[in-house]
Amino acid sequence: MADAPRLELEHVTCRFDGREVVSDVGFAVRAGEVLCLLGPSGCGKSTTLRVIAGIERQTAGAVRADGTTLSDAATHLPPEARGVGLIFQDFALFPHLTVGQNVAFGLKGPKPEVRARVEELLARVDLAGYADATPHMLSGGEQQRVALARALAPRPRIMLMDEPFSGLDNRLRDGIRDETLQVLKEEGTAVVLVTHEPEEAMRMADQIALMRDGRIVQKGAPYNIYNAPADKAAAAFFSDINVIPGRVQGALCDTAFGQFLAPGHADGTEVEIVFRPQHVKIDFDRGGRGPNPTPQDGTPARGVVERARFMGHESLVEFRMDFDGGILKATVPAVFLPKPGTPLWLTVRRDRCFVFATKR
Ligand code: ADP
Ligand code: MG
């Protein structure tokens, strides 16, 4: 099928000893596209990846590549017949082989062709001339690039990566992420990347599939998932959040910050208004008064600085709010680091709030 996605999962469910750890997972990844499986530890990301690789067999559902079934109720191709490359966190190069031999490991064919492919790949990952080095002579980042070259060598249609960057130190990580992404895009490989870090997912992904308790709770481009989360927990996975409770009347919700739109919620529904700390605006106290209310920003509410932390590019300020004695968080440019005890006025960017029915 010419227009079939490179990789497709349909209703994949995986049970271990009667416990369902992957539930009805489905997604499609096109050639040259990166899908990130994002979620907390234990939510079923690695199991999903192992099902795609053929290391684990699903209880139900199908995995297809370019329209061909890799596994379903009737079929189960072995891992080596799937055209799938794998990179794991402990990407373990063979220590007794040279870099070139590591990259050549999965390659068959005449020697000159293998050598040419190895050289091409080492150049691709910026390690031209390293073929005769042994792994222990290389830094962690260089070893990671060898692992990438090794996984790419047999030209897999699909690359599966399980937390591949988490063993690298912070300073190296960004560069290697970007290089890896570029190489995979150039090769036209469909990529499934597992990570529990939202920043990594947003940096790498064309699509994020957010997982919780074995299920995909939301799927979409990073921008959409961040700016239109499916529920409170999805919002909270990407940043600190503030939550204020309210009750809907006439598709509106009255709060200390003024009225919020609550379309689609019936009268009397208890809701939570959720907003990120960067969408709180801070204003000075003018003799016990804040700024004048505006249609854009709503009503200011007074809070007293409880704690302020300098974070480099911004400061995180926690306020004890007058209206309910609760804490709200705001991030502000780091030039501003108010002292504890300072009274300030907060307004909320109403167009950046999410209103969810309260879950009981
Ligand atoms: P993640 O990669 O998101 O951290 P995993 O897919 O590794 O999560 O694991 C999901 C759940 O399945 C965990 O509770 C884990 O203990 C369980 N699990 C994983 N593999 C097996 C297995 N082979 N047998 C039994 N339970 C397993
Ligand atoms: Mg895992």
Side-chain angles (χ1 to χ4, degrees):
M1 274 184 273
D3 58 351
R6 177 54 52 85
L7 171 69
E8 194 170 17
L9 272 68
E10 286 173 354
H11 305 297
V12 167
T13 293
C14 208
R15 250 176 254 133
F16 293 120
D17 314 319
R19 193 167 71 94
E20 202 161 291
V21 300
V22 173
S23 303
D24 195 23
V25 162
F27 56 75
V29 192
R30 305 204 154 267
E33 200 180 47
V34 178
L35 177 131
C36 278
L37 288 178
L38 173 67
S41 178
C43 73
K45 307 181 295 295
S46 295
T47 304
T48 304
L49 216 62
R50 289 203 301 274
V51 165
I52 302 169
I55 303 164
E56 203 78 68
R57 186 159 189 182
Q58 70 269 35
T59 314
V63 180
R64 293 186 227 288
D66 296 316
T68 307
T69 301
L70 301 183
S71 62
D72 63 9
T75 311
H76 185 76
L77 288 190
E80 62 276 11
R82 294 189 175 207
V84 163
L86 290 169
I87 304 182
F88 293 114
Q89 178 181 346
D90 49 351
F91 42 86
L93 300 175
F94 305 113
H96 56 290
L97 300 182
T98 66
V99 164
Q101 288 165 336
N102 265 282
V103 175
F105 190 78
L107 291 178
K108 297 182 190 73
K111 261 198 170 153
E113 279 176 30
V114 167
R115 191 172 315 133
R117 176 74 176 148
V118 168
E119 271 166 23
E120 178 199 338
L121 282 162
L122 286 177
R124 178 64 69 80
V125 299
D126 250 346
L127 288 173
Y130 280 73
D132 296 326
T134 49
H136 78 268
M137 297 159 71
L138 305 181
S139 70
E142 287 164 345
Q143 290 185 28
Q144 176 73 18
R145 274 141 58 195
V146 176
L148 175 64
R150 182 177 65 181
L152 283 169
R155 302 182 200 277
R157 295 181 288 181
I158 297 162
M159 185 68 82
L160 306 175
M161 308 174 84
D162 196 343
E163 315 255 359
F165 308 107
S166 50
L168 301 172
D169 70 59
N170 271 336
R171 224 166 20 83
L172 274 176
R173 210 180 298 173
D174 287 350
I176 291 180
R177 278 174 181 154
D178 292 349
E179 284 167 25
T180 302
L181 200 59
Q182 195 186 339
V183 171
L184 289 166
K185 294 252 170 202
E186 282 166 10
E187 295 271 325
T189 317
V191 181
V192 181
L193 172 72
V194 160
T195 180
H196 63 273
E197 289 178 46
E199 293 78 20
E200 178 159 291
M202 288 195 280
R203 188 181 185 103
M204 304 287 287
D206 298 297
Q207 295 183 69
I208 292 174
L210 184 63
M211 287 187 76
R212 191 189 308 149
D213 299 334
R215 291 182 183 281
I216 294 180
V217 289
Q218 192 172 8
K219 202 164 43 182
Y223 183 92
N224 295 336
I225 294 215
Y226 189 89
N227 290 304
D231 57 22
K232 184 171 77 170
F237 199 76
F238 287 87
S239 77
D240 274 342
I241 55 168
N242 294 302
V243 181
I244 48 179
R247 187 183 291 274
V248 176
Q249 205 55 55
L252 292 171
C253 183
D254 265 320
T255 75
F257 291 106
Q259 285 187 326
F260 289 80
L261 295 175
H265 294 284
D267 281 0
T269 308
E270 282 179 29
V271 292
E272 290 175 312
I273 293 162
V274 174
F275 49 97
R276 302 191 191 279
Q278 67 265 38
H279 298 132
V280 176
K281 264 174 64 177
I282 295 177
D283 234 301
F284 294 101
D285 186 79
R286 303 168 169 86
R289 278 192 318 111
N292 292 325
T294 66
Q296 295 81 29
D297 292 331
T299 312
R302 202 186 84 122
V304 174
V305 176
E306 177 114 340
R307 201 143 78 112
R309 278 173 290 177
F310 178 72
M311 313 274 287
H313 60 297
E314 62 185 20
S315 297
L316 179 60
V317 186
E318 291 176 26
F319 291 91
R320 179 76 59 191
M321 300 306 296
D322 287 356
F323 67 84
D324 68 349
I327 291 281
L328 288 184
K329 294 173 185 168
T331 51
V332 294
V335 290
F336 182 60
L337 191 65
K339 289 198 167 49
T342 311
L344 290 164
W345 290 80
L346 277 58
T347 46
V348 178
R349 286 277 305 270
R350 285 192 288 185
D351 57 336
R352 297 305 183 95
C353 289
F354 318 119
V355 181
F356 301 117
T358 304
K359 282 189 185 148
R360 317 216 143 259

